[in-house]
Amino acid sequence: MHERARIDYVLRKLDWLAAERIWPNGLRYLWTDAFGVVLLVSLHRALGGQRYLDDAEALIASVDAVLARERGYRIGEEADRDGQYFHYLMKWLYALFVIGRYLPDYRERAIAIARDVHGAFCLPGRGVWWKMREDLSGPYPGFGFGAIDAFDAYVTYSLLDPHALADEIADMRRLIMQTALELTIHQDLGIGMMLWLSHFFPHEDWAVLQRTRCLATLDHMWIRRSYFCREPMLPEVKFAFTNYGVAIGLQSVGQHAGRVNRLHRFFEEYRAGDEYDRAAITHVMACSSHFPGDLIMHERDGAAFAPGRSGA
């Protein structure tokens, strides 16, 4: 699919989402809205004009009004989406980084948020709490350390400002060095996001290792030439939005374009018969997968980003 066709797909999907009051005029959810901000900025970059940049700013204002807390952001607006996920916060900071390339105040805001939440989530030398209480007073009951959260933060902090966040980056680099060698990811969305993270610093040791390992695992998850299953031992379990996350990761590292196209076709027709058929996350991730835009960095973006030491 050529870029113009990808954009037309996204524009049709966004019109439908708005008409159905699913997104962005539905309930707030930080993961979905982070990808949505990047999508809108990507449309601004591709089509010009002010509309999509204004829409991105309006979305950020809505997220701030509904989900922002004294420190950090609540997971979502619905009652059962309380607490804070670290990896959601990192996606939100990435979205602010992307719009910050046009409006620098957002990048400065993201740096301030990173400094504010880092100490609550990160236990240097031990790990990063996957989920915290909403006021960041302590870990959310029943949750431990996240498997790829340190990688997420290392990349996001490095993109935002490797000098202003040097201490925070050093914390995450040490955690990566402790865990990268032993880490094998088995869940589809986690694999997709690790592939995506690896493309920012593709020559660093952790990125080379994890990219190779993730691609090998995906080979065991490709089912009936149509989709990736949830985990290698769950061949019948599939979700559209997580497959779109895998597709974003594959596109970022330039692998398996044929599989990406086939899963796009499959999930255009597939209906799970549950709430995900109309969920904003499904359709915003579909848009992001069909048109990754500023989710993927290119040499033209000046994306050297002061990479870390080769041993990171």
Side-chain angles (χ1 to χ4, degrees), residues 105-142:
D105 285 352
Y106 287 106
R107 184 171 182 169
E108 294 305 313
R109 183 189 303 183
I111 293 168
I113 295 169
R115 285 172 168 160
D116 205 22
V117 304
H118 177 85
F121 279 94
C122 180
L123 272 64
R126 291 187 58 196
V128 180
W129 293 113
W130 191 57
K131 185 176 183 181
M132 295 283 289
R133 297 182 187 273
E134 201 157 307
D135 61 359
L136 300 188
S137 60
Y140 201 93

Side-chain angles (χ1 to χ4, degrees), residues 41-238:
V41 176
S42 301
L43 289 172
H44 167 74
R45 180 173 184 167
L47 301 177
Q50 193 64 27
R51 171 188 172 183
Y52 295 108
L53 202 60
D54 289 345
D55 288 349
E57 285 205 89
L59 177 56
I60 291 170
S62 179
V63 170
D64 284 341
V66 177
L67 300 183
R69 297 298 182 259
E70 184 175 349
R71 299 171 65 201
Y73 287 78
R74 178 184 164 98
I75 293 167
E77 186 172 356
E78 292 183 288
D80 63 347
R81 292 174 171 175
D82 59 323
Q84 297 194 36
Y85 283 142
F86 186 75
H87 62 298
Y88 280 29
L89 290 172
M90 293 303 103
K91 296 298 181 290
W92 186 244
L93 297 189
Y94 181 80
L96 296 181
F97 160 74
V98 168
I99 193 172
R101 293 193 292 176
Y102 297 92
L103 302 167
D105 285 352
Y106 287 106
R107 184 171 182 169
E108 294 305 313
R109 183 189 303 183
I111 293 168
I113 295 169
R115 285 172 168 160
D116 205 22
V117 304
H118 177 85
F121 279 94
C122 180
L123 272 64
R126 291 187 58 196
V128 180
W129 293 113
W130 191 57
K131 185 176 183 181
M132 295 283 289
R133 297 182 187 273
E134 201 157 307
D135 61 359
L136 300 188
S137 60
Y140 201 93
F143 291 86
F145 295 134
I148 70 171
D149 293 58
F151 300 83
D152 218 337
Y154 171 74
V155 169
T156 305
Y157 293 170
S158 298
L159 295 176
L160 284 170
D161 193 322
H163 303 293
L165 296 172
D167 290 343
E168 291 83 358
I169 291 168
D171 285 341
M172 297 307 181
R173 182 184 291 121
R174 284 189 287 270
L175 290 173
I176 287 173
M177 293 177 71
Q178 289 173 213
T179 60
L181 213 64
E182 301 299 324
L183 176 63
T184 299
I185 306 167
H186 295 289
Q187 197 177 73
D188 55 354
L189 186 56
I191 290 173
M193 292 299 95
M194 178 58 88
L195 288 173
W196 176 70
L197 292 170
S198 78
H199 97 276
F200 291 99
F201 305 115
H203 303 298
E204 293 195 12
D205 291 351
W206 67 268
V208 174
L209 173 64
Q210 286 299 319
R211 182 167 57 250
T212 301
R213 196 169 285 174
C214 285
L215 290 171
T217 303
L218 282 179
D219 283 340
H220 298 289
M221 297 169 62
W222 182 239
I223 307 298
R224 292 193 288 273
R225 299 172 60 84
S226 298
Y227 63 86
F228 292 101
C229 63
R230 182 63 163 159
E231 296 183 14
M233 301 304 293
L234 298 173
E236 299 302 322
V237 179
K238 56 188 173 293

